[in-house]
Amino acid sequence: MTTLQAIGVIGAGTMGNGIAQVCAAAGFPVVLQDLSQAALDRARKTMEGSLARQIKKGTLTDTQAADTLARITTATTLDPMADRDIVIEAIVEKLEVKAGILGKLDQICPEQTVFASNTSSISLTQLAAASAHPGRVIGMHFFNPVPVMQLVEIIRALQTTDAVSDAVTALTRAIGKTPRVSKDSYGFIVNRLLAPQINEAINCVYEGLATAEDIDSMMKLGANHPMGPLALGDLIGLDVVLNIMETLYQGFDDPKYRPSPLLKQMVHAGYLGRKTGKGFGSYPAA
Ligand code: 3HC
């Protein structure tokens, strides 16, 4: 397989715009697609803010930031994915929606285009089965905040070819990230370990053992975590955490992954964390 150069990113939310930014910062031309122009405009603002942080820190020049943004073109349809070497999908965590996108991409892209999913826990093997060419489907799992976190977890579906896995591993290095490969399983490795910890921290709040603030500071002071599990849940999005717990619970059919009742209530109330301004902490609009 030739080197992957032209990159498409589907979904301009938190993860999608971060992925587009790091790929463009590494010199790759990117098409970022979302259904609405408003979502694409929000994504550009987020990327500008993130690049501005790096300029302020002195790790990026004004010119490099401008060049990064110039390498990203936006689209509201999937047609511009036709000339991409790889399309990375970072849309809603629903198997049928992701499978639908793969089916559409099958119609638009040539057979050699690689299809990567940033899914946080959906079975890659099931996703790959939705493509007419399942060997080209692979998981490329980025972490939030994407410009900062080093790891990309690469998940091989049962069907993924060695050539696709090798090409995606090389691309991950080329965008300055560290690849680690995992076989396909519910939650893969990182979220299988991380989400139950956040869920258990929420159970500690539910049982009234300590305040959210104290639980977070215990994990920072006692386990040297950069942020506590409840603040991390707010960063990731509590709806995303619930989604991962449900995938683990239903996938493994094991009660040890049961979502906390309080996690469900928080999501029902719309207290999703940073993105809604309220979760276990409060986040006034900047
Ligand atoms: N863009 C660019 N740079 C950013 C940034 C962004 N969006 N956010 C933070 N930074 C940079 C800052 O400029 C700073 O750089 P410096 O150290 O070189 O000066 C550095 O990151 C640290 O930022 P801050 O000083 O503002 O804040 P903290 O020191 O408190 O760090 C944090 C913030 C990086 C978020 C840190 O608390 C952390 O690593 N937390 C854990 C995050 C984590 O576990 N993420 C994984 C979540 S799981 C996931 O995403 C998978 C999904 O499937 C659910």
Short mmCIF file of all heavy atoms in Angstrom, two decimals, residues 225-275:
data_model
loop_
_atom_site.label_atom_id
_atom_site.label_comp_id
_atom_site.label_asym_id
_atom_site.label_seq_id
_atom_site.Cartn_x
_atom_site.Cartn_y
_atom_site.Cartn_z
N HIS A 225 -2.69 11.21 39.26
CA HIS A 225 -3.38 11.42 37.98
C HIS A 225 -3.41 12.92 37.69
O HIS A 225 -3.55 13.71 38.61
CB HIS A 225 -4.81 10.86 38.06
CG HIS A 225 -4.85 9.36 38.09
ND1 HIS A 225 -6.01 8.64 37.97
CD2 HIS A 225 -3.87 8.45 38.22
CE1 HIS A 225 -5.74 7.34 38.03
NE2 HIS A 225 -4.44 7.21 38.19
N PRO A 226 -3.28 13.30 36.41
CA PRO A 226 -3.24 14.75 36.11
C PRO A 226 -4.56 15.45 36.42
O PRO A 226 -4.58 16.64 36.72
CB PRO A 226 -2.94 14.79 34.61
CG PRO A 226 -3.31 13.44 34.09
CD PRO A 226 -3.12 12.49 35.21
N MET A 227 -5.65 14.72 36.35
CA MET A 227 -6.94 15.27 36.75
C MET A 227 -7.75 14.13 37.35
O MET A 227 -7.51 12.96 37.04
CB MET A 227 -7.66 15.94 35.57
CG MET A 227 -8.17 15.03 34.50
SD MET A 227 -8.40 15.86 32.89
CE MET A 227 -9.55 17.14 33.31
N GLY A 228 -8.73 14.48 38.21
CA GLY A 228 -9.52 13.44 38.86
C GLY A 228 -10.49 12.78 37.88
O GLY A 228 -10.77 13.33 36.81
N PRO A 229 -11.03 11.61 38.24
CA PRO A 229 -11.92 10.89 37.32
C PRO A 229 -13.21 11.62 37.00
O PRO A 229 -13.74 11.47 35.89
CB PRO A 229 -12.21 9.57 38.07
CG PRO A 229 -11.83 9.82 39.50
CD PRO A 229 -10.78 10.87 39.49
N LEU A 230 -13.70 12.44 37.94
CA LEU A 230 -14.97 13.14 37.67
C LEU A 230 -14.72 14.31 36.72
O LEU A 230 -15.51 14.55 35.80
CB LEU A 230 -15.62 13.57 38.99
CG LEU A 230 -15.97 12.33 39.85
CD1 LEU A 230 -16.07 12.67 41.32
CD2 LEU A 230 -17.22 11.64 39.34
N ALA A 231 -13.61 15.02 36.94
CA ALA A 231 -13.25 16.09 36.00
C ALA A 231 -12.97 15.50 34.62
O ALA A 231 -13.31 16.10 33.60
CB ALA A 231 -12.02 16.84 36.51
N LEU A 232 -12.39 14.32 34.59
CA LEU A 232 -12.11 13.67 33.30
C LEU A 232 -13.41 13.27 32.61
O LEU A 232 -13.57 13.44 31.39
CB LEU A 232 -11.19 12.46 33.50
CG LEU A 232 -10.75 11.74 32.22
CD1 LEU A 232 -10.08 12.69 31.23
CD2 LEU A 232 -9.81 10.58 32.55
N GLY A 233 -14.36 12.76 33.40
CA GLY A 233 -15.68 12.43 32.83
C GLY A 233 -16.32 13.67 32.22
O GLY A 233 -16.90 13.61 31.13
N ASP A 234 -16.18 14.81 32.92
CA ASP A 234 -16.73 16.06 32.39
C ASP A 234 -16.02 16.48 31.11
O ASP A 234 -16.63 17.05 30.21
CB ASP A 234 -16.57 17.19 33.42
CG ASP A 234 -17.61 17.10 34.54
OD1 ASP A 234 -18.51 16.25 34.46
OD2 ASP A 234 -17.51 17.92 35.49
N LEU A 235 -14.71 16.21 31.03
CA LEU A 235 -13.95 16.57 29.83
C LEU A 235 -14.36 15.70 28.64
O LEU A 235 -14.62 16.19 27.54
CB LEU A 235 -12.44 16.41 30.09
CG LEU A 235 -11.52 16.62 28.88
CD1 LEU A 235 -11.44 18.11 28.51
CD2 LEU A 235 -10.11 16.10 29.15
N ILE A 236 -14.46 14.40 28.89
CA ILE A 236 -14.81 13.46 27.81
C ILE A 236 -16.27 13.68 27.39
O ILE A 236 -16.62 13.56 26.22
CB ILE A 236 -14.65 12.00 28.30
CG1 ILE A 236 -13.18 11.69 28.61
CG2 ILE A 236 -15.20 11.02 27.30
CD1 ILE A 236 -12.97 10.36 29.32
N GLY A 237 -17.14 13.98 28.35
CA GLY A 237 -18.59 14.06 28.13
C GLY A 237 -19.24 12.87 28.82
O GLY A 237 -18.89 11.72 28.53
N LEU A 238 -20.17 13.15 29.74
CA LEU A 238 -20.76 12.05 30.51
C LEU A 238 -21.63 11.15 29.63
O LEU A 238 -21.77 9.96 29.89
CB LEU A 238 -21.54 12.60 31.70
CG LEU A 238 -20.64 13.34 32.73
CD1 LEU A 238 -21.48 14.01 33.82
CD2 LEU A 238 -19.62 12.40 33.35
N ASP A 239 -22.16 11.71 28.55
CA ASP A 239 -22.91 10.88 27.60
C ASP A 239 -21.98 9.87 26.93
O ASP A 239 -22.35 8.72 26.71
CB ASP A 239 -23.62 11.76 26.55
CG ASP A 239 -22.69 12.75 25.85
OD1 ASP A 239 -21.63 13.10 26.42
OD2 ASP A 239 -23.00 13.17 24.72
N VAL A 240 -20.75 10.31 26.64
CA VAL A 240 -19.77 9.40 26.01
C VAL A 240 -19.39 8.30 27.01
O VAL A 240 -19.30 7.12 26.65
CB VAL A 240 -18.52 10.19 25.54
CG1 VAL A 240 -17.46 9.26 24.98
CG2 VAL A 240 -18.91 11.25 24.50
N VAL A 241 -19.20 8.70 28.28
CA VAL A 241 -18.83 7.70 29.31
C VAL A 241 -19.96 6.67 29.44
O VAL A 241 -19.70 5.46 29.48
CB VAL A 241 -18.56 8.39 30.68
CG1 VAL A 241 -18.27 7.34 31.74
CG2 VAL A 241 -17.41 9.38 30.57
N LEU A 242 -21.22 7.16 29.46
CA LEU A 242 -22.36 6.23 29.58
C LEU A 242 -22.38 5.28 28.37
O LEU A 242 -22.60 4.07 28.52
CB LEU A 242 -23.66 7.02 29.69
CG LEU A 242 -24.95 6.19 29.76
CD1 LEU A 242 -24.92 5.21 30.94
CD2 LEU A 242 -26.19 7.09 29.86
N ASN A 243 -22.15 5.86 27.22
CA ASN A 243 -22.13 5.04 26.00
C ASN A 243 -21.09 3.92 26.08
O ASN A 243 -21.36 2.77 25.72
CB ASN A 243 -21.76 5.99 24.84
CG ASN A 243 -22.43 5.56 23.58
OD1 ASN A 243 -22.15 4.48 23.09
ND2 ASN A 243 -23.31 6.40 23.06
N ILE A 244 -19.91 4.27 26.58
CA ILE A 244 -18.85 3.26 26.69
C ILE A 244 -19.26 2.20 27.71
O ILE A 244 -19.10 0.99 27.47
CB ILE A 244 -17.50 3.91 27.09
CG1 ILE A 244 -17.02 4.89 26.02
CG2 ILE A 244 -16.43 2.84 27.35
CD1 ILE A 244 -15.90 5.82 26.45
N MET A 245 -19.80 2.63 28.86
CA MET A 245 -20.20 1.66 29.89
C MET A 245 -21.29 0.72 29.35
O MET A 245 -21.28 -0.48 29.62
CB MET A 245 -20.70 2.38 31.15
CG MET A 245 -19.63 3.09 31.96
SD MET A 245 -18.15 2.11 32.33
CE MET A 245 -18.82 0.79 33.34
N GLU A 246 -22.22 1.29 28.59
CA GLU A 246 -23.28 0.43 28.04
C GLU A 246 -22.71 -0.57 27.04
O GLU A 246 -23.13 -1.73 27.01
CB GLU A 246 -24.39 1.29 27.41
CG GLU A 246 -25.30 1.85 28.50
CD GLU A 246 -26.30 2.89 28.01
OE1 GLU A 246 -26.10 3.44 26.92
OE2 GLU A 246 -27.26 3.15 28.77
N THR A 247 -21.74 -0.12 26.25
CA THR A 247 -21.09 -1.04 25.30
C THR A 247 -20.38 -2.17 26.04
O THR A 247 -20.48 -3.35 25.66
CB THR A 247 -20.09 -0.28 24.40
OG1 THR A 247 -20.79 0.73 23.70
CG2 THR A 247 -19.42 -1.20 23.39
N LEU A 248 -19.66 -1.82 27.12
CA LEU A 248 -18.95 -2.85 27.90
C LEU A 248 -19.95 -3.80 28.57
O LEU A 248 -19.79 -5.03 28.53
CB LEU A 248 -18.08 -2.19 28.98
CG LEU A 248 -16.88 -1.35 28.50
CD1 LEU A 248 -16.26 -0.57 29.66
CD2 LEU A 248 -15.82 -2.25 27.86
N TYR A 249 -21.00 -3.21 29.16
CA TYR A 249 -22.01 -3.98 29.92
C TYR A 249 -22.73 -4.97 29.00
O TYR A 249 -22.81 -6.18 29.29
CB TYR A 249 -22.99 -2.97 30.51
CG TYR A 249 -24.04 -3.49 31.45
CD1 TYR A 249 -23.77 -4.49 32.37
CD2 TYR A 249 -25.33 -2.93 31.43
CE1 TYR A 249 -24.76 -4.94 33.24
CE2 TYR A 249 -26.31 -3.37 32.31
CZ TYR A 249 -26.03 -4.38 33.19
OH TYR A 249 -26.99 -4.82 34.04
N GLN A 250 -23.19 -4.44 27.86
CA GLN A 250 -23.93 -5.30 26.93
C GLN A 250 -22.99 -6.23 26.16
O GLN A 250 -23.31 -7.40 25.93
CB GLN A 250 -24.74 -4.45 25.94
CG GLN A 250 -25.95 -3.79 26.61
CD GLN A 250 -26.40 -2.53 25.90
OE1 GLN A 250 -26.08 -2.31 24.74
NE2 GLN A 250 -27.15 -1.68 26.62
N GLY A 251 -21.83 -5.71 25.79
CA GLY A 251 -20.90 -6.50 24.98
C GLY A 251 -20.39 -7.71 25.74
O GLY A 251 -20.45 -8.84 25.25
N PHE A 252 -19.87 -7.48 26.95
CA PHE A 252 -19.34 -8.60 27.73
C PHE A 252 -20.43 -9.34 28.50
O PHE A 252 -20.17 -10.38 29.09
CB PHE A 252 -18.27 -8.10 28.72
CG PHE A 252 -16.99 -7.68 28.05
CD1 PHE A 252 -16.58 -6.35 28.05
CD2 PHE A 252 -16.19 -8.61 27.40
CE1 PHE A 252 -15.40 -5.96 27.44
CE2 PHE A 252 -15.00 -8.23 26.79
CZ PHE A 252 -14.61 -6.91 26.81
N ASP A 253 -21.63 -8.72 28.57
CA ASP A 253 -22.74 -9.31 29.30
C ASP A 253 -22.31 -9.59 30.74
O ASP A 253 -22.57 -10.67 31.29
CB ASP A 253 -23.17 -10.61 28.59
CG ASP A 253 -24.61 -10.97 28.90
OD1 ASP A 253 -25.30 -10.14 29.50
OD2 ASP A 253 -25.02 -12.09 28.56
N ASP A 254 -21.63 -8.60 31.34
CA ASP A 254 -21.04 -8.79 32.66
C ASP A 254 -21.46 -7.64 33.58
O ASP A 254 -21.22 -6.47 33.26
CB ASP A 254 -19.50 -8.81 32.50
CG ASP A 254 -18.79 -9.19 33.79
OD1 ASP A 254 -19.35 -8.95 34.88
OD2 ASP A 254 -17.67 -9.72 33.69
N PRO A 255 -22.09 -7.96 34.74
CA PRO A 255 -22.61 -6.89 35.62
C PRO A 255 -21.53 -5.98 36.19
O PRO A 255 -21.83 -4.90 36.66
CB PRO A 255 -23.33 -7.66 36.74
CG PRO A 255 -22.83 -9.06 36.66
CD PRO A 255 -22.40 -9.29 35.25
N LYS A 256 -20.26 -6.41 36.10
CA LYS A 256 -19.23 -5.52 36.66
C LYS A 256 -19.13 -4.21 35.89
O LYS A 256 -18.54 -3.26 36.37
CB LYS A 256 -17.87 -6.23 36.74
CG LYS A 256 -17.10 -6.36 35.47
CD LYS A 256 -15.74 -7.02 35.74
CE LYS A 256 -15.01 -7.31 34.44
NZ LYS A 256 -13.78 -8.04 34.62
N TYR A 257 -19.70 -4.16 34.69
CA TYR A 257 -19.65 -2.93 33.90
C TYR A 257 -20.96 -2.11 33.99
O TYR A 257 -21.16 -1.20 33.19
CB TYR A 257 -19.37 -3.27 32.43
CG TYR A 257 -18.01 -3.90 32.22
CD1 TYR A 257 -17.89 -5.22 31.79
CD2 TYR A 257 -16.85 -3.18 32.46
CE1 TYR A 257 -16.64 -5.80 31.58
CE2 TYR A 257 -15.60 -3.75 32.27
CZ TYR A 257 -15.50 -5.06 31.84
OH TYR A 257 -14.27 -5.62 31.65
N ARG A 258 -21.83 -2.45 34.96
CA ARG A 258 -23.13 -1.77 35.02
C ARG A 258 -22.94 -0.26 35.19
O ARG A 258 -22.24 0.18 36.10
CB ARG A 258 -23.93 -2.33 36.21
CG ARG A 258 -25.35 -1.84 36.29
CD ARG A 258 -26.15 -2.65 37.29
NE ARG A 258 -25.40 -2.84 38.53
CZ ARG A 258 -25.30 -4.00 39.17
NH1 ARG A 258 -25.92 -5.07 38.75
NH2 ARG A 258 -24.60 -4.08 40.27
N PRO A 259 -23.59 0.56 34.34
CA PRO A 259 -23.45 2.02 34.49
C PRO A 259 -24.04 2.48 35.82
O PRO A 259 -25.07 1.98 36.26
CB PRO A 259 -24.26 2.59 33.32
CG PRO A 259 -24.45 1.46 32.37
CD PRO A 259 -24.42 0.20 33.18
N SER A 260 -23.39 3.45 36.45
CA SER A 260 -23.90 4.01 37.70
C SER A 260 -25.26 4.65 37.47
O SER A 260 -25.45 5.36 36.48
CB SER A 260 -22.92 5.07 38.21
OG SER A 260 -23.52 5.83 39.23
N PRO A 261 -26.21 4.44 38.41
CA PRO A 261 -27.52 5.11 38.26
C PRO A 261 -27.36 6.63 38.19
O PRO A 261 -28.09 7.31 37.45
CB PRO A 261 -28.28 4.71 39.54
CG PRO A 261 -27.61 3.45 40.00
CD PRO A 261 -26.17 3.54 39.58
N LEU A 262 -26.38 7.17 38.94
CA LEU A 262 -26.18 8.63 38.91
C LEU A 262 -25.66 9.08 37.53
O LEU A 262 -26.03 10.15 37.06
CB LEU A 262 -25.22 9.07 40.03
CG LEU A 262 -24.90 10.56 40.10
CD1 LEU A 262 -26.17 11.42 40.23
CD2 LEU A 262 -23.94 10.86 41.26
N LEU A 263 -24.83 8.27 36.91
CA LEU A 263 -24.34 8.61 35.56
C LEU A 263 -25.53 8.72 34.60
O LEU A 263 -25.63 9.66 33.82
CB LEU A 263 -23.34 7.54 35.08
CG LEU A 263 -22.85 7.65 33.64
CD1 LEU A 263 -22.17 8.99 33.35
CD2 LEU A 263 -21.89 6.51 33.30
N LYS A 264 -26.45 7.76 34.72
CA LYS A 264 -27.63 7.80 33.83
C LYS A 264 -28.45 9.06 34.10
O LYS A 264 -28.90 9.72 33.17
CB LYS A 264 -28.50 6.57 34.09
CG LYS A 264 -27.92 5.28 33.58
CD LYS A 264 -28.97 4.22 33.80
CE LYS A 264 -28.53 2.86 33.39
NZ LYS A 264 -29.50 1.84 33.76
N GLN A 265 -28.62 9.38 35.40
CA GLN A 265 -29.42 10.57 35.75
C GLN A 265 -28.77 11.84 35.21
O GLN A 265 -29.45 12.73 34.71
CB GLN A 265 -29.58 10.67 37.26
CG GLN A 265 -30.59 9.68 37.82
CD GLN A 265 -30.69 9.75 39.32
OE1 GLN A 265 -29.81 10.30 40.00
NE2 GLN A 265 -31.74 9.17 39.87
N MET A 266 -27.46 11.93 35.36
CA MET A 266 -26.75 13.13 34.88
C MET A 266 -27.00 13.31 33.38
O MET A 266 -27.24 14.42 32.90
CB MET A 266 -25.25 13.01 35.15
CG MET A 266 -24.85 12.96 36.60
SD MET A 266 -25.02 14.52 37.48
CE MET A 266 -23.60 15.43 36.91
N VAL A 267 -26.93 12.20 32.66
CA VAL A 267 -27.13 12.28 31.20
C VAL A 267 -28.58 12.66 30.88
O VAL A 267 -28.85 13.52 30.04
CB VAL A 267 -26.71 10.96 30.52
CG1 VAL A 267 -27.09 10.95 29.04
CG2 VAL A 267 -25.19 10.75 30.67
N HIS A 268 -29.53 12.04 31.62
CA HIS A 268 -30.94 12.38 31.38
C HIS A 268 -31.21 13.86 31.66
O HIS A 268 -32.02 14.50 31.00
CB HIS A 268 -31.86 11.51 32.26
CG HIS A 268 -31.85 10.07 31.85
ND1 HIS A 268 -32.15 9.05 32.72
CD2 HIS A 268 -31.55 9.50 30.67
CE1 HIS A 268 -32.03 7.89 32.07
NE2 HIS A 268 -31.67 8.15 30.83
N ALA A 269 -30.50 14.41 32.66
CA ALA A 269 -30.70 15.82 33.02
C ALA A 269 -30.00 16.76 32.04
O ALA A 269 -30.18 17.98 32.11
CB ALA A 269 -30.18 16.06 34.44
N GLY A 270 -29.18 16.20 31.18
CA GLY A 270 -28.43 17.06 30.24
C GLY A 270 -27.18 17.65 30.88
O GLY A 270 -26.57 18.57 30.34
N TYR A 271 -26.78 17.10 32.04
CA TYR A 271 -25.54 17.56 32.68
C TYR A 271 -24.39 16.70 32.14
O TYR A 271 -23.98 15.71 32.75
CB TYR A 271 -25.62 17.41 34.20
CG TYR A 271 -26.75 18.17 34.86
CD1 TYR A 271 -27.30 17.75 36.08
CD2 TYR A 271 -27.28 19.33 34.28
CE1 TYR A 271 -28.32 18.45 36.69
CE2 TYR A 271 -28.31 20.03 34.88
CZ TYR A 271 -28.83 19.58 36.09
OH TYR A 271 -29.84 20.26 36.70
N LEU A 272 -23.90 17.09 30.98
CA LEU A 272 -22.96 16.23 30.25
C LEU A 272 -21.50 16.58 30.49
O LEU A 272 -20.61 15.92 29.96
CB LEU A 272 -23.26 16.29 28.74
CG LEU A 272 -24.70 15.98 28.32
CD1 LEU A 272 -24.83 16.01 26.80
CD2 LEU A 272 -25.18 14.64 28.88
N GLY A 273 -21.26 17.64 31.29
CA GLY A 273 -19.88 18.05 31.53
C GLY A 273 -19.58 19.37 30.85
O GLY A 273 -20.47 20.20 30.68
N ARG A 274 -18.34 19.52 30.44
CA ARG A 274 -17.89 20.82 29.89
C ARG A 274 -18.76 21.31 28.75
O ARG A 274 -19.03 22.50 28.64
CB ARG A 274 -16.46 20.71 29.38
CG ARG A 274 -15.47 20.64 30.51
CD ARG A 274 -14.08 20.84 30.01
NE ARG A 274 -13.15 20.47 31.06
CZ ARG A 274 -11.93 20.95 31.18
NH1 ARG A 274 -11.48 21.81 30.31
NH2 ARG A 274 -11.16 20.56 32.17
N LYS A 275 -19.18 20.39 27.88
CA LYS A 275 -19.88 20.85 26.68
C LYS A 275 -21.25 21.45 26.98
O LYS A 275 -21.78 22.19 26.16
CB LYS A 275 -19.97 19.74 25.64
CG LYS A 275 -20.74 18.52 26.04
CD LYS A 275 -20.61 17.46 24.94
CE LYS A 275 -20.93 16.09 25.48
NZ LYS A 275 -20.59 15.02 24.55
#
